[in-house]
Amino acid sequence: MNREIDFLNSILRSFDEIIVVLDLSGYLQYIYQPDQWKLFPEAVNISGKRFSELLPAHLSEKIEAAIESFSFSDSQYHTDYSQIIGGEVVWYSVNAAKTISNNDNNGGYTIIVRNITEQMYSEAILRIEHDLEDMSRKKGTPEQNIRKCLMAAVNTPGIDCGGVYEFCSKDNSLSLMTCHGMSKEYVSHTSYYPSDSNLSRMVRRGIPAYVRCGEKRKSKDTMMEKEELRALTYCPVKDNDRLLAVLQIGSVNFDRWPDFTKMALETLSAHNGKTMVTD
């Protein structure tokens, strides 16, 4: 028997999923977590423990919802959700099933939890690439395409607001062209940046800047604090080497920008440059 258990555990170690088995009263019968997850100590004794005593609240809530759905005769349950962990958005997929036996007292629940963060961002990048191809085919006005690029950016998982600023080569100033998700107060205070502003100097370097707002607040930027922004990015929009604008994106969730997000934003910035010079 022990040999069979060891064999099953060796198979499970190849999975990147949390597996939870409960009895009908919600008590833990079995639990497995991949090495990289570490939601609870490996040596913990699950005997006599309900899942809510061991698992984090965000996951326990979803399991509670699954059990509640089973009370209405559903036999399967699925949901995707996000959680802020370590200053980053992590996406999970929860699949649950109610197991039935000849004796109802011997039934239970099996819950499988997957980390789908990479999948979510990969799908977001594919959607962005599709939107860019669609824009290229439809040949909209530069203003329409810039707006579409901005909306594609703010629809990326974890991003909450953004704007596009036009760069004036005559005086090196920046003026807000379009925005989404920003309060009226924030827009009124940030719609124009003169040449001697930190933002103007930053974007004239011609490289993307990813900023943690905790660092910005040290410079007494109270507007960012009012918006509850935790991270900002500034991506220069260029036609070859000529600076045209800057794509500014903000998040109330991220403390730092994932590589997937950086890739998506830089792709959009490159396309934005093409749309601004389209006749």
Side-chain angles (χ1 to χ4, degrees), residues 131-132 134-136 138-151 268 271-272 274-276 278:
D131 290 345
L132 296 181
D134 188 55
M135 277 186 271
S136 297
K138 291 184 177 178
K139 302 293 183 183
T141 67
E143 291 77 13
Q144 290 172 331
N145 288 338
I146 288 167
R147 181 68 184 177
K148 288 179 181 178
C149 283
L150 174 62
M151 295 310 299
L268 284 166
H271 188 83
N272 236 338
K274 297 176 183 177
T275 65
M276 292 184 73
T278 300

Side-chain angles (χ1 to χ4, degrees), residues 164 235-239 242-247 269 272-273 276:
V164 178
C235 289
V237 177
K238 297 187 288 185
D239 175 32
R242 183 165 63 98
L243 180 62
L244 302 174
V246 59
L247 173 66
S269 294
N272 236 338
M276 292 184 73

Side-chain angles (χ1 to χ4, degrees), residues 37 69 133 144 152 186 195 220-221 228 258 274:
W37 283 53
S69 75
E133 290 177 3
Q144 290 172 331
Y186 186 85
S195 61
K220 300 181 180 179
D221 194 332
E228 298 182 348
K274 297 176 183 177

